[in-house]
Amino acid sequence: MRKNILIVLSIIMLFIVVFIIGNQHYLSTNNPTIVEEGLVTLNSVQLSDSVKLEGEWSFFPNILISPEESLDAYQNKRILIKVPSNWHDYVQANEDGIAVGTYHIKIRVPVEGQYGLYIRAIRQSNRIFINGIEVGKKGNPSTALSEYRTENNDKYVVIAESKEKEIDMMVHVANFHYPQAGITYPVEIGTMGIIQRQYQIKILVDAFVSIGYIIFGIIYIISYGQNRKRKEELFFGLFTISLGLYMSFINQKIFFMLVPVTLTLNQIRLQLGILPIALTCLTLFIYYMYPKLMKKKFLYLIMILMGIVFVIYSIYNPFTHNVKATSEESVFYRKLVYIAFTAPVVLYNIWILIQVMLKRLEGARYVLIVFTAICCYALLLVINFLTDLPFDYSEIVLFLLILFGFASLLNYRANVAFMNIQTLSEELLTHNHMKDEFLLKTSHELRTPLNGILNLSKLLMEGAEGPLKRNQQEQVILIHNITQRLGHLVEDLLFSSTYMSGELRVLPRAVPISIINDVVTEIRSIMSTNSYVRLLIEVDLTMPHMLTDELRFKQVLYNLLHNAIQHTEIGEITVTAYQQRKHMVIEVRDTGKGIPAQDLERIFNTFYQVKNNDPKEGLGLGLSIAKNIVDKLNGDIYVKSTLGEGTTFTFTMPLAAMDQTGEDNSLANVTQTPLEILQLELPLIHNGNDKKILVVDDDHVNIKVLVDVLTFKGYTVIGVDNGFDAIDYIKTNQVDCMLIDLMMEGMSGYELCKRVRKQYDMLELPIIVLTAIIKHSDLVLTLQVGANDYLQKPIATDELLLRIDSLLAVRQSSLDAIEVEMNYLYGQVTPHFVYNTLNTIIGLSYTDMDNTREALYCLATYFRAKLNVHYRNNMVLIEEEIELVKAYLYIEKMRFGDRLTVKYDIDESIQLMIPALSLQPLVENAVFHGISKKPEGGTIEISVQREGQFIRIKIYDNGVGIPAKKLQQLMNEESSRIGFTNPLKKFKLMKNTDLRLYSEEGKGTTILILLPEGDGA
């Protein structure tokens, strides 16, 4: 609420400041009346800026004096008139209704030169003479109505040349039934440069505002034209264009500088006619922005009302018959009527905007900016309309605020819509993923029972359960055929799901062109003998090999042939192949029904089927699958068809290079090529070097191939065919790496990984999973259950051996690091310390068994922390570290006796995680290098307390202290005392930690550690 009030006050203050600064010449009360009895004398200081010629001008009513005539002849008619003012009290209209008069003033200037005069408003027609020479006019002032002309564009600049440091200025003015006539605004004088610069600034401001409105309007109209959905953009564009045109009709009237509309009546019609258009567009804009707040019946009423106002004030007024007002009261009345027509629309829009702000609808703050700006400008507009008081430069403030507010509102709405679309897109992607998962899982689940039905029906057809009756055989054959069709649908769904999830893998290799004959022969074998379709093939078997995936290529060709058979009742289907540059082109041409032209672009879409009166079976996946495979294999596929004559599908495959036709270095035959049944005596053991590899696979052929490859590399290899034997083996034997097949009977690879990880971590026993699956989520699951790596079958031997070498190297590095760490930890436990401690405990056991047990417990605590390799690099609760400190100091207290005094000041409520083995080495350093060096011993204090938002850990001893040079080396980590520097390094790794070390020789040492409490919570 405070922000909204601040916005309103800021905008109001902005308008007030701009209004005052822009119109200070007209509002200032400090400007003296400098013209006296038609004469003014100016000095250089006054002419440093523009000067208003206010005061008593000479005036000759009811006559237009020629500049060639002497004014002395008219001295009896001369009167003094205040300028600016309305002249109606001094002139009388002639028979034609025209009132005329001549103004005269002499201006004395300090230096000879050219001066500028800015004429703001001399109503209605005027002509200006300087030193007897005409220098400017608007209209044609005359006493005869036939010669009288007027212009509404009454602001202009004239240049005056001084003569003997004097400017003699005569102004002819004529008026025809206009209530506010004469020089109604001050005439300003200044040097030519100052006046021209001020005038140009006014024109540039008006041009900037008008063109800016129009450009923004065009941008939003173009934006609407691109989608034709957001009508608020259309009406906002029309509103800003109409507002820009209105701005060009007023003030400096730049529109009339470009378009020759000289008649005042036509100019006023344009001014008054554009406002109802702008209000209508504004109303429609607000309606489409907030349709729930504005009722349609009010919208229709507003449009009708604004249409009436537009007709009356811009085309024809049936009440005044387009006759101008002849009195000031009549003009004022007509202004009130116009305001009465337009004000309800403005107020209604304001009410809607107020509701937007009260209900805090989207973009309410931007609406508040626009609302406040419009109200401020409307108030100034009404003041100007009723009093002619100018409000220069306020329009640029309105322009900036309206564009900022409404443009921000539209952008805000666009961003909200974009965010909603993005959210919906994410939801759609999620649902699409769920759909793919559902299709994939459903296909997997359906495939097993369908295979069961196929096998059972085949056994029944072959008489495995005894002979069947004729009707029973026919029913079983029908069941078998229907199940086959379902099986094909399931395979198509499975493939589509795999492709859409991005998990389709192809294995291109050199494939002979004879594969086309194989597919055609297979299709012929399953075609009905009663078919009226002939399947022909025209392929030269001497053509080069293709670089493709054999299985996927067969799938493409099968789908295209199956599609052709479905849509060809009588005729031929011809398969041809020919070489074209570096590609093999395969065509499947049929003489079937053909495909309508409008469907050709969509037949490769998933689930799309051509609409006809004879729908065929299927889901519309065959052509989609064919295109997906061809794209994946770097080929192209396209179709040509003539309705009623037939269709030709053409696809290309890249040709294989000469070096790609040989054997590849892979274990493809492990999973793809059926070998003779092999039974091994397990466990199969081949001795080699000291690295043992355990192979687990339920297929003995796979075991044999893997064992041979690894044995050739020199490894010791053990092969088993189930997870149970693998678990038994690793319980009693050391293994360096395991190769596990994912899909095994009894215990799957998932379960085997889980069981191994319960006993060994990933560095102790690396596991590589071998799998034929291509689903990414399943591969991720293998890593989640404990596998270090996985390889997809067919397995490249080079890659397999490289990964094994890499994992074994990592394992060895881990073992070496552990050994180094253990040696370091063992080195920390000095034999002298252990020997002295044990002797002390032995001596104590003869006199005090309770203290002996406590001493042994503390020694056990000390050893547990010191010799635990995993413990050292972890973060532990501070209470565990304090427990180790107390155990150590208890042991040292037994040894030192009264020479060692220990004090604790520990807040037990503090829960903080700190590096393990960080405080005890510092305490040990204080005892060994500080207190033990003093013959009389000393005191050590351990404090853990809160200090503001930090936890303060203090270790103090009153030992021998540290020399200044040594202290500096410790702080710079240049000392060889690892018991001191290592703990400090650990603390420095923690964020926002402050370490301080104070020491003085002979007085002791203090270590302060400040840790943020939040990090340890």
Side-chain angles (χ1 to χ4, degrees):
M1 188 64 182
R2 291 181 179 178
K3 289 185 178 179
N4 293 340
I5 295 175
L6 184 61
I7 289 173
V8 172
L9 292 177
S10 300
I11 293 174
I12 293 174
M13 290 301 299
L14 180 62
F15 269 99
I16 292 174
V17 170
V18 172
F19 176 76
I20 293 173
I21 293 175
N23 301 280
Q24 56 184 339
H25 289 299
Y26 305 101
L27 299 175
S28 175
T29 58
N30 296 326
N31 294 325
T33 301
I34 61 175
V35 182
E36 295 181 356
E37 296 185 356
L39 176 65
V40 61
T41 301
L42 302 176
N43 55 47
S44 299
V45 175
Q46 289 175 306
L47 290 174
S48 62
D49 197 358
S50 60
V51 181
K52 292 188 294 184
L53 299 176
E54 293 184 339
E56 297 175 337
W57 285 42
S58 298
F59 182 60
F60 302 89
N62 305 316
I63 189 172
L64 298 176
I65 302 174
S66 173
E68 289 83 10
E69 298 181 77
S70 173
L71 293 177
D72 295 337
Y74 298 95
Q75 284 300 315
N76 59 336
K77 294 185 178 182
R78 175 179 177 267
I79 63 173
L80 296 177
I81 188 172
K82 185 178 179 181
V83 174
S85 67
N86 195 331
W87 73 358
H88 278 299
D89 294 336
Y90 306 97
V91 297
Q92 292 82 36
N94 62 17
E95 295 177 352
D96 291 335
I98 296 177
V100 297
T102 301
Y103 290 86
H104 179 260
I105 185 176
K106 283 189 177 182
I107 308 168
R108 292 173 181 171
V109 295
V111 294
E112 292 285 0
Q114 289 184 325
Y115 294 86
L117 292 165
Y118 176 60
I119 313 301
R120 182 179 179 88
I122 302 179
R123 304 282 172 77
Q124 278 180 299
S125 178
N126 62 83
R127 181 182 285 109
I128 298 176
F129 301 92
I130 301 294
N131 296 327
I133 301 173
E134 181 181 334
V135 293
K137 69 173 183 176
K138 286 297 178 182
N140 184 38
S142 175
T143 57
L145 185 61
S146 60
E147 298 177 0
Y148 173 80
R149 296 288 183 275
T150 182
E151 293 184 23
N152 193 38
N153 186 11
D154 49 8
K155 299 178 180 66
Y156 63 102
V157 170
V158 298
I159 304 302
E161 182 80 31
S162 64
K163 186 176 182 180
E164 297 180 356
K165 298 183 180 180
E166 188 174 275
I167 297 173
D168 187 286
M169 178 179 179
M170 181 184 293
V171 182
H172 287 181
V173 181
N175 176 49
F176 180 72
H177 295 313
Y178 195 80
Q180 295 175 342
I183 302 178
T184 57
Y185 281 91
V187 175
E188 298 180 38
I189 188 172
T191 61
M192 183 178 66
I194 290 175
I195 294 298
Q196 285 183 333
R197 183 170 63 251
Q198 291 180 351
Y199 184 62
Q200 288 170 356
I201 289 173
K202 294 177 186 294
I203 291 177
L204 288 174
V205 169
D206 277 11
F208 171 76
V209 173
S210 301
I211 296 172
Y213 274 126
I214 293 171
I215 289 175
F216 272 92
I218 292 173
I219 290 173
Y220 278 100
I221 289 176
I222 292 173
S223 177
Y224 167 76
Q226 292 174 345
N227 54 47
R228 296 181 180 273
K229 291 181 180 180
R230 301 180 61 191
K231 291 187 178 180
E232 60 269 23
E233 290 185 339
L234 169 65
F235 290 110
F236 178 67
L238 294 175
F239 168 67
T240 54
I241 289 175
S242 57
L243 203 58
L245 290 174
Y246 174 74
M247 290 298 176
S248 70
F249 296 158
I250 63 173
N251 296 330
Q252 309 307 317
K253 301 181 176 66
I254 59 174
F255 179 84
F256 303 123
M257 295 180 183
L258 304 174
V259 180
V261 181
T262 58
L263 292 179
T264 303
L265 182 60
N266 291 338
Q267 293 181 359
I268 294 175
R269 284 179 179 177
L270 287 173
Q271 291 174 349
L272 299 180
I274 197 69
L275 282 177
I277 295 176
L279 287 175
T280 302
C281 294
L282 176 63
T283 305
L284 289 169
F285 165 70
I286 295 175
Y287 169 75
Y288 282 106
M289 286 294 294
Y290 305 102
K292 294 182 180 180
L293 298 180
M294 188 177 290
K295 296 181 180 180
K296 278 194 173 183
K297 61 180 181 180
F298 289 115
L299 180 64
Y300 296 146
L301 288 174
I302 289 172
M303 295 176 68
I304 293 172
L305 178 62
M306 291 296 97
I308 293 173
V309 173
F310 175 77
V311 172
I312 291 176
Y313 286 92
S314 65
I315 299 176
Y316 178 74
N317 191 330
F319 303 103
T320 62
H321 304 288
N322 289 355
V323 176
K324 293 194 297 183
T326 57
S327 66
E328 188 172 355
E329 292 78 9
S330 178
V331 171
F332 186 77
Y333 171 75
R334 291 187 182 186
K335 289 180 177 180
L336 285 179
V337 172
Y338 188 83
I339 292 174
F341 273 117
T342 55
V345 180
V346 175
L347 294 175
Y348 183 72
N349 284 322
I350 290 174
W351 168 243
I352 297 300
L353 295 179
I354 290 174
Q355 285 186 294
V356 171
M357 291 181 288
L358 292 177
K359 295 182 179 181
R360 296 185 179 181
L361 300 180
E362 57 179 5
R365 186 158 293 170
Y366 304 117
V367 171
L368 177 63
I369 294 173
V370 175
F371 167 74
T372 308
I374 291 176
C375 287
C376 292
Y377 189 80
L379 179 61
L380 294 176
L381 192 64
V382 170
I383 294 173
N384 172 263
F385 203 35
L386 296 176
T387 65
D388 278 340
L389 184 66
F391 52 103
D392 292 344
Y393 306 116
S394 298
E395 64 272 10
I396 194 170
V397 179
L398 178 70
F399 165 71
L400 295 175
L401 291 175
I402 283 183
L403 284 187
F404 172 77
F406 276 151
S408 299
L409 178 61
L410 285 171
N411 289 337
Y412 174 80
R413 288 280 297 269
N415 289 335
V416 170
F418 175 77
M419 294 299 294
N420 291 336
I421 291 172
Q422 190 174 28
T423 302
L424 289 175
S425 299
E426 291 174 357
E427 291 180 1
L428 288 174
L429 288 174
T430 301
H431 289 302
N432 186 58
H433 179 70
M434 292 172 62
K435 180 259 295 180
D436 293 340
E437 287 287 330
F438 172 76
L439 290 177
L440 189 63
K441 292 180 180 179
T442 303
S443 303
H444 275 297
E445 294 298 325
L446 287 176
R447 188 161 54 174
T448 300
L450 286 175
N451 287 335
I453 296 173
L454 279 173
N455 293 332
L456 290 174
S457 60
K458 187 176 181 181
L459 290 174
L460 290 173
M461 286 189 299
E462 293 174 352
E465 300 296 329
L468 301 177
K469 297 179 181 179
R470 182 179 180 84
N471 291 338
Q472 292 174 331
Q473 287 181 337
E474 292 176 354
Q475 295 296 327
V476 171
I477 292 172
L478 180 61
I479 291 172
H480 186 79
N481 292 338
I482 293 173
T483 307
Q484 276 188 321
R485 283 167 46 193
L486 286 175
H488 291 314
L489 292 178
V490 167
E491 291 299 328
D492 287 347
L493 285 173
L494 184 60
F495 178 88
S496 297
S497 301
T498 303
Y499 180 81
M500 287 186 284
S501 62
E503 296 169 356
L504 174 64
R505 290 190 63 190
V506 294
L507 300 170
R509 63 183 185 88
V511 177
I513 196 67
S514 59
I515 190 176
I516 299 177
N517 290 38
D518 298 338
V519 176
V520 172
T521 301
E522 182 180 346
I523 295 292
R524 281 174 178 166
S525 66
I526 62 175
M527 289 179 64
S528 173
T529 55
N530 298 325
S531 174
Y532 296 99
V533 179
R534 290 191 302 164
L535 185 55
L536 306 177
I537 182 170
E538 299 174 2
V539 176
D540 183 1
L541 299 180
T542 62
M543 287 190 294
H545 288 46
M546 299 175 291
L547 182 62
T548 186
D549 185 307
E550 181 177 348
L551 180 61
R552 299 305 186 191
F553 180 88
K554 287 182 177 180
Q555 192 173 2
V556 172
L557 190 54
Y558 176 85
N559 286 351
L560 295 180
L561 288 172
H562 182 69
N563 181 75
I565 292 171
Q566 274 190 318
H567 296 89
T568 306
E569 297 180 355
I570 301 176
E572 296 178 348
I573 299 174
T574 306
V575 181
T576 60
Y578 57 90
Q579 183 179 349
Q580 189 178 67
R581 296 180 182 175
K582 296 183 179 180
H583 287 82
M584 185 68 68
V585 181
I586 300 95
E587 291 184 352
V588 178
R589 184 172 60 253
D590 65 65
T591 57
K593 297 179 180 180
I595 303 172
Q598 64 270 19
D599 293 316
L600 287 177
E601 293 183 358
R602 295 181 288 177
I603 59 173
F604 292 113
N605 294 344
T606 305
F607 300 116
Y608 183 80
Q609 291 180 299
V610 177
K611 305 296 187 294
N612 53 45
N613 297 326
D614 186 22
K616 299 292 183 180
E617 61 185 30
L619 296 176
L621 291 172
L623 295 179
S624 170
I625 291 172
K627 178 174 174 54
N628 293 337
I629 294 175
V630 172
D631 290 342
K632 195 73 173 179
L633 291 169
N634 300 319
D636 293 316
I637 185 169
Y638 47 91
V639 60
K640 295 180 181 178
S641 183
T642 302
L643 199 62
E645 295 183 8
T647 304
T648 300
F649 283 92
T650 305
F651 69 96
T652 64
M653 285 289 128
L655 295 177
M658 292 300 295
D659 57 350
Q660 293 174 319
T661 58
E663 295 295 329
D664 59 346
N665 184 25
S666 70
L667 303 178
N669 57 352
V670 173
T671 58
Q672 289 190 334
T673 306
L675 300 178
E676 55 181 306
I677 298 175
L678 177 67
Q679 290 295 328
L680 302 173
E681 293 185 7
L682 301 179
L684 182 63
I685 300 176
H686 283 267
N687 293 317
N689 57 29
D690 59 342
K691 301 299 182 184
K692 287 187 178 181
I693 312 295
L694 178 60
V695 177
V696 189
D697 196 316
D698 58 355
D699 189 329
H700 287 209
V701 174
N702 291 349
I703 295 176
K704 181 67 169 65
V705 174
L706 289 170
V707 169
D708 289 345
V709 170
L710 297 173
T711 301
F712 179 78
K713 182 67 174 177
Y715 295 118
T716 296
V717 187
I718 303 94
V720 295
D721 61 359
N722 63 82
F724 301 102
D725 290 346
I727 293 294
D728 292 339
Y729 186 85
I730 64 176
K731 284 181 180 179
T732 57
N733 298 275
Q734 176 190 344
V735 174
D736 298 294
C737 184
M738 292 181 68
L739 305 181
I740 300 176
D741 183 40
L742 194 60
M743 297 300 177
M744 297 186 295
E745 295 183 2
M747 181 189 297
S748 68
Y750 296 114
E751 183 63 28
L752 179 55
C753 285
K754 288 181 181 179
R755 293 198 181 187
V756 172
R757 285 293 167 250
K758 289 180 180 179
Q759 187 175 355
Y760 300 96
D761 62 29
M762 298 182 72
L763 290 176
E764 290 178 292
L765 181 52
I767 297 175
I768 300 177
V769 168
L770 309 178
T771 174
I773 63 173
I774 56 177
K775 192 164 180 291
H776 180 69
S777 58
D778 289 337
L779 298 177
V780 172
L781 182 59
T782 62
L783 300 177
Q784 291 175 342
V785 297
N788 295 71
D789 207 344
Y790 66 84
L791 283 173
Q792 289 181 257
K793 299 177 181 179
I795 299 161
T797 56
D798 292 343
E799 184 178 4
L800 174 64
L801 295 174
L802 283 173
R803 296 203 184 192
I804 292 175
D805 289 344
S806 176
L807 289 174
L808 291 177
V810 171
R811 178 178 181 272
Q812 187 61 45
S813 297
S814 174
L815 293 176
D816 293 343
I818 291 174
E819 184 177 357
V820 171
E821 187 73 16
M822 290 301 295
N823 291 337
Y824 167 76
L825 292 173
Y826 291 142
Q828 280 195 324
V829 185
T830 61
H832 181 71
F833 172 79
V834 175
Y835 177 77
N836 289 339
T837 302
L838 290 177
N839 282 339
T840 302
I841 293 174
I842 291 170
L844 187 64
S845 65
Y846 291 102
T847 60
D848 191 345
M849 287 304 298
D850 291 337
N851 282 334
T852 300
R853 282 192 293 270
E854 183 68 22
L856 288 173
Y857 174 78
C858 291
L859 185 62
T861 301
Y862 176 81
F863 281 138
R864 183 181 69 233
K866 284 288 187 177
L867 301 181
N868 188 343
V869 65
H870 302 294
Y871 176 83
R872 183 172 184 267
N873 292 317
N874 290 337
M875 301 289 287
V876 298
L877 283 171
I878 192 170
E879 61 184 45
E880 293 185 28
E881 188 68 13
I882 293 297
E883 181 184 10
L884 174 60
V885 169
K886 289 181 177 180
Y888 167 75
L889 288 176
Y890 186 90
I891 295 171
E892 294 290 17
K893 178 69 175 174
M894 287 193 311
R895 293 175 53 208
F896 284 91
D898 294 336
R899 290 179 59 223
L900 177 62
T901 301
V902 181
K903 296 181 180 180
Y904 296 105
D905 181 21
I906 298 173
D907 186 346
E908 302 291 346
S909 66
I910 293 176
Q911 297 291 317
L912 184 70
M913 301 296 289
I914 64 173
L917 297 179
S918 56
L919 297 182
Q920 189 276 331
L922 295 176
V923 173
E924 184 174 347
N925 186 78
V927 173
F928 184 76
H929 293 285
I931 295 174
S932 67
K933 303 297 184 182
K934 294 177 67 174
E936 68 276 16
T939 300
I940 185 165
E941 296 180 5
I942 311 296
S943 173
V944 180
Q945 294 293 332
R946 288 185 173 87
E947 188 172 286
Q949 296 181 346
F950 288 84
I951 302 298
R952 178 178 55 81
I953 302 174
K954 176 182 176 184
I955 302 173
Y956 165 76
D957 71 83
N958 59 357
V960 296
I962 305 173
K965 183 177 180 181
K966 189 70 173 179
L967 182 66
Q968 188 64 34
Q969 290 178 345
L970 288 173
M971 294 306 296
N972 294 336
E973 299 181 5
E974 298 173 355
S975 173
S976 59
R977 287 193 192 176
I978 61 174
F980 186 87
T981 57
N982 280 359
L984 293 185
K985 288 179 181 179
K986 291 181 179 182
F987 280 116
K988 286 182 179 180
L989 292 175
M990 299 179 67
K991 293 182 180 179
N992 303 319
T993 299
D994 188 13
L995 300 174
R996 303 172 188 175
L997 178 62
Y998 308 99
S999 185
E1000 186 176 349
E1001 276 191 278
K1003 293 187 178 181
T1005 302
T1006 301
I1007 301 173
L1008 283 180
I1009 304 169
L1010 294 177
L1011 300 171
E1013 185 172 7
D1015 290 356

